[in-house]
């Protein structure tokens, strides 16, 4: 398989993982959170902190583990450089996000994230962290296997 084929497959995996992540996150959003959770945060800290914590957990469960597995899979099966693997998965995520927003809101294709607020920053940070972690683990495993077989 040529390098361009590997890159296209990696971008396709990024698109697929993003689609599955949106579905899983949708199911997680439907989970009822007790009112006492929000009342406790409102009384002790701030209601925004409660929403931030819920967003972090939701993104880790919905996207984080999927991106971790995708990064590991790509670095194991498609021997790409770590930067190329992470870039391809992020490009796939971005393509999915742009097309999804354009189709749902029936707008021309444009930047789906016009501003970088706190929740968007947390979301993108979780995605990037788990992508990089998956690629690093896959590359480390490849290095260990090559060293053992030598």
């Amino acid at each position: 398989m040529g390098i361009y084929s590997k890159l296209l497959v990696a971008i396709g995996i990024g698109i697929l993982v993003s689609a599955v992540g949106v579905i899983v996150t949708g199911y997680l959003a439907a989970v009822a959170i007790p009112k006492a959770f929000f009342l406790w945060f409102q009384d002790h800290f701030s209601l925004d902190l409660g929403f931030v914590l819920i967003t972090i957990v939701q993104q880790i469960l919905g996207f984080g583990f999927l991106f971790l597995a995708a990064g590991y899979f790509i670095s194991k099966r498609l021997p790409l450089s770590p930067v190329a693997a992470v870039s391809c998965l992020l490009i796939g995520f971005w393509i999915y996000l742009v097309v999804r927003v354009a189709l749902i809101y029936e707008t021309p294709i444009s930047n789906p994230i016009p501003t970088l607020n706190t929740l968007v920053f947390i979301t993108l940070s979780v995605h990037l962290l788990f992508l990089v972690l998956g690629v690093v683990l896959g590359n480390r495993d490849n290095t260990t296997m090559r060293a053992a077989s030598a």
Side-chain angles (χ1 to χ4, degrees), residues 23-114:
I23 292 169
V24 171
T25 306
Y27 282 118
L28 290 173
V31 173
I33 298 169
K35 188 176 179 179
F37 174 84
F38 295 107
L39 292 175
W40 187 84
F41 271 100
Q42 189 173 10
D43 292 343
H44 293 88
F45 297 105
S46 123
L47 195 56
D48 291 337
L49 181 62
F51 283 118
V52 166
L53 290 177
I54 287 174
T55 301
I56 290 171
V57 170
Q58 184 181 22
Q59 291 301 315
I60 289 172
L61 293 176
F63 281 100
F65 294 126
L66 290 171
F67 278 137
L68 180 72
Y72 185 82
F73 176 79
I74 284 179
S75 53
K76 290 287 288 177
R77 299 292 178 205
L78 302 173
L80 294 169
S81 71
V83 173
V86 169
S87 298
C88 286
L89 287 169
L90 286 176
I91 288 169
F93 171 71
W94 192 258
I95 289 171
Y96 177 79
L97 193 62
V98 166
V99 171
R100 180 175 178 259
V101 167
L103 290 175
I104 288 175
Y105 296 111
E106 298 176 357
T107 61
I109 291 181
S110 64
N111 182 8
I113 304 173

